Amino acid sequence: MSVLTTSILVGVSIIAIIILTSRLKIKAFIALFIVSLFLAFTTLPPEKIIGTIKEGFGNTMASIGFLIILGAIIGITLDKTGGTLSIARYILSKTGEKRSAQALGITGFITGIPIFCDSAFIILSGLAKSFSSRAKLAMPFVATVLATSLIVVHCLVPPHPGALASAGMLNVNVGFLIILGILFSIPAAVAAYFWSKWITKGRNYPPAKEIEIDSEITLDSLPPVFLSFLPIVVPLLLITIKSLLNLADKEGTLLISKVFYIPGEPIIALSAGVLLSILLIKNKTISALNSLFTEAIEKAGPILIVTASGGMFGMVIKSTGIGESLGGLLAGTSLGLVVPFLISSAMKTAQGSATVAIITATSFIEPMLPVLGLDSEWGRILSVLAMGAGSMPVSHANDSYFWVVSNFSDMDPDTALKVYSPATVITGVVVFACVWITSLFVL
């Protein structure tokens, strides 16, 4: 099948998902499943269709399934015990309600440096809802501020896998990359903040619903702020410490690296968060705990299915080979830093994974560096950052993070496509602009 035909089919599939979910209001799982089958049957060999669909669904479930369930338990516990409300009241007392969105963005930015955006958004989504509800801010605005503050550092800053793998492949100084990645992330996060504020203004997007807490809990009997922070801070701290240790001790030979190896695993760290959240529960009977866990699992179920379905659709697109074909066509040009940016953007838009987009684009770019005039220390590091910028746009229906953001913030797909998806384009363009401007002085 030709590249043009495959491109048309992929484009039709993406448009079909948007129409099915936003216009016809068909459930996201059904829409993704139908379209994935259509694309697989029209582009893949018969013997690969079922295996590809299973692989995409299963791999996504395996990678973030436990995180979603454990994160949901932490979130529900914080909500029901009043812990989230206690945290929100504390932060708002320091920043003021008018600056609560900025405070959440800064929190997400710092949190996202060492933590995967999926995990961090799941952990902080309850806090975002509290901020939205208490400050009467549109939930799509607050959710997009948090989501973009997390994604910019996820795509640019080691120890996140895409940036780290690309740095290794192009022999780039990781410490230097971390510094520049953080610096370039700041204007992108700021731009996304102003975009989401503008696009949601005057459009009647509602704030999150009031946090439902047990009837026995009053504002005077909210749990202590310190205990309320523990289920969020401790998992993030454990994962952060392990990430930083891995950066300094790649072989893992130091005693402290071995000590934090298991506790720093996201699943174990979030499990610790679950245990700490139980401290907030006054009635610790088996019946009360089972009731809370049941509600959390019921909330996580639909999110698991939709997220895994997004991974399934992304795997089908990846298996068509369209990403590699588009990348090969772009690689034949001589546009300097524009080439790595466009290749990574094509990969991300086509198959959904930022990590896959960066790593695949790097494999195209590495042998072309001399031709593109980028075969220098600065050229290589700016190439990595350009590919990181390209791995942000466009987050849409084939990106599992898109579904995490939309589901954990109660945004319907149509709203997420109007508010969050364009924000990812803005972050990518702003970062690339920073890369391009820097190149004028150093290349």
Side-chain angles (χ1 to χ4, degrees):
M1 184 177 293
S2 69
V3 174
L4 178 60
T5 302
T6 304
S7 300
I8 292 173
L9 288 171
V10 171
V12 168
S13 299
I14 293 172
I15 293 172
I17 289 177
I18 294 171
I19 293 174
L20 290 173
T21 56
S22 63
R23 300 301 179 191
L24 301 181
K25 306 300 181 183
I26 294 176
K27 290 295 184 181
F29 166 72
I30 301 300
L32 286 164
F33 182 67
I34 292 173
V35 174
S36 296
L37 281 177
F38 163 77
L39 187 60
F41 272 104
T42 54
T43 60
L44 302 180
E47 65 273 13
K48 291 186 177 181
I49 293 174
I50 302 302
T52 300
I53 289 175
K54 287 182 177 179
E55 183 181 359
F57 191 92
N59 287 353
T60 306
M61 186 73 78
S63 64
I64 63 174
F66 283 115
L67 302 182
I68 288 177
I69 294 172
L70 296 172
I73 293 175
I74 294 173
I76 289 293
T77 304
L78 286 170
D79 283 351
K80 292 298 181 181
T81 59
T84 306
L85 186 56
S86 180
I87 293 172
R89 284 171 57 84
Y90 174 77
I91 295 179
L92 289 174
S93 70
K94 302 299 181 182
T95 65
E97 293 186 354
K98 292 183 178 180
R99 293 191 293 271
S100 58
Q102 296 96 312
L104 184 65
I106 294 171
T107 302
F109 188 92
I110 296 172
T111 299
I113 292 174
I115 313 301
F116 276 24
C117 55
D118 306 74
S119 305
F121 191 91
I122 290 167
I123 294 173
L124 296 174
S125 59
L127 195 60
K129 289 182 179 179
S130 291
F131 278 25
S132 171
S133 173
R134 183 163 179 79
K136 304 303 179 184
L137 297 171
M139 188 59 201
F141 165 48
V142 175
T144 300
V145 169
L146 175 60
T148 51
S149 67
L150 292 168
I151 195 66
V152 290
V153 287
H154 179 88
C155 293
L156 296 178
V157 182
H160 291 295
L164 194 60
S166 183
M169 295 168 70
L170 296 187
N171 194 27
V172 164
N173 183 295
V174 173
F176 196 20
L177 179 61
I178 290 174
I179 295 172
L180 286 178
I182 292 174
L183 289 176
F184 290 173
S185 296
I186 294 172
V190 171
Y193 166 82
F194 283 109
W195 156 262
S196 53
K197 183 177 182 179
W198 174 79
I199 195 64
T200 56
K201 187 176 181 180
R203 294 178 181 252
N204 296 320
Y205 289 125
K209 295 180 181 179
E210 292 288 341
I211 302 299
E212 296 181 3
I213 60 177
D214 288 345
S215 57
E216 300 177 359
I217 297 176
T218 64
L219 293 180
D220 294 330
S221 64
L222 290 175
V225 173
F226 175 75
L227 287 181
S228 301
F229 267 116
L230 283 181
I232 298 175
V233 173
V234 169
L236 298 180
L237 191 60
L238 288 172
I239 300 171
T240 299
I241 292 174
K242 180 182 178 180
S243 299
L244 294 176
L245 288 173
N246 286 346
L247 207 57
D249 179 27
K250 295 182 179 179
E251 301 298 326
T253 56
L254 296 177
L255 177 60
I256 190 171
S257 298
K258 296 178 180 179
V259 169
F260 281 95
Y261 181 80
I262 296 297
E265 283 292 310
I267 292 176
I268 303 302
L270 284 174
S271 296
V274 170
L275 294 177
L276 290 170
S277 70
I278 294 176
L279 296 176
L280 302 173
I281 303 174
K282 294 181 179 180
N283 180 15
K284 295 183 176 63
T285 63
I286 297 298
S287 175
L289 292 176
N290 279 340
S291 176
L292 188 146
F293 293 153
T294 298
E295 182 175 348
I297 292 171
E298 289 176 350
K299 181 180 179 63
I303 298 173
L304 281 170
I305 293 172
V306 171
T307 304
S309 300
M312 172 183 65
F313 181 52
M315 178 61 72
V316 173
I317 292 180
K318 179 182 176 181
S319 299
T320 66
I322 186 62
E324 290 81 355
S325 298
L326 292 177
L329 292 174
L330 290 172
T333 63
S334 300
L335 299 173
L337 287 167
V338 176
V339 176
F341 174 73
L342 290 179
I343 293 177
S344 184
S345 296
M347 297 288 185
K348 170 57 183 289
T349 303
Q351 51 79 41
S353 169
T355 300
V356 171
I358 298 174
I359 294 175
T360 307
T362 303
S363 67
F364 281 111
I365 291 301
E366 197 276 332
M368 294 185 60
L369 291 174
V371 177
L372 296 173
L374 301 173
D375 194 18
S376 64
E377 183 178 0
W378 269 108
R380 289 172 178 268
I381 195 169
L382 291 178
S383 295
V384 173
L385 291 168
M387 287 182 284
S391 70
M392 298 175 197
V394 178
S395 178
H396 59 93
N398 67 346
D399 182 1
S400 62
Y401 186 54
F402 172 89
W403 296 106
V404 169
V405 171
S406 61
N407 281 285
F408 271 89
S409 56
D410 297 327
M411 272 197 292
D412 60 82
D414 187 36
T415 300
L417 287 166
K418 290 178 180 177
V419 181
Y420 168 67
S421 294
T424 63
V425 177
I426 290 171
T427 56
V429 170
V430 170
V431 171
F432 181 71
C434 294
V435 172
W436 182 264
I437 292 170
T438 303
S439 72
L440 299 178
F441 296 93
V442 299
L443 292 182

